[in-house]
């Protein structure tokens, strides 16, 4: 094993295109991404895989994809997006 992490179940949220980023705001993750992933986390998935994250803004699958490339200077929106998954309601 690579790590000692254990997945709580075999339910996984597969990657998909959310289409929520704003081209006028540099296609970074936003509050809509955080809320959507928080809701999916509350649904009980053991694994949550993010949607399309483009690494070249000239080769996007869709105009509203998230982009992380050499022009992305602020990584905080990406950290907020990742952290939103761990902010699920702690019922168990």
């Amino acid at each position: 094993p690579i790590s000692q992490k254990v997945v709580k179940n075999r339910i996984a949220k597969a990657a998909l295109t959310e289409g929520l980023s704003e081209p006028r705001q540099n296609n970074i993750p936003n509050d809509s991404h955080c809320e959507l992933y928080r809701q999916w986390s509350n649904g009980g998935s053991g694994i949550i895989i993010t949607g399309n994250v483009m690494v070249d803004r000239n080769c996007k699958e869709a105009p509203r994809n998230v982009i992380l490339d050499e022009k992305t200077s602020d990584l905080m929106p990406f950290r907020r997006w990742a952290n939103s998954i761990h902010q699920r309601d702690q019922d168990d």
Side-chain angles (χ1 to χ4, degrees):
I2 295 173
S3 75
Q4 300 301 315
K5 300 217 181 246
V6 175
V7 178
K8 70 178 187 174
N9 60 48
R10 294 180 183 188
I11 300 170
K13 195 289 289 173
L16 54 81
T17 298
E18 297 91 1
L20 297 172
S21 69
E22 287 291 335
R24 290 170 285 172
Q25 296 176 348
N26 210 23
N27 288 86
I28 58 174
N30 57 43
D31 291 341
S32 296
H33 287 95
C34 293
E35 180 56 31
L36 180 60
Y37 277 78
R38 194 174 298 114
Q39 288 179 20
W40 278 331
S41 179
N42 285 333
S45 293
I47 298 173
I48 297 177
I49 302 169
T50 64
N52 290 336
V53 177
M54 304 293 102
V55 295
D56 184 339
R57 64 186 63 245
N58 296 315
C59 300
K60 294 182 285 194
E61 178 264 342
R64 294 174 59 104
N65 285 138
V66 170
I67 300 172
L68 177 60
D69 66 2
E70 70 280 349
K71 294 181 182 178
T72 307
S73 59
D74 184 8
L75 296 180
M76 189 53 69
F78 292 87
R79 290 184 182 107
R80 282 185 41 241
W81 186 19
N83 290 336
S84 69
I85 297 169
H86 303 287
Q87 294 172 355
R88 65 182 179 85
D89 297 337
Q90 300 294 327
D91 292 339
D92 40 32

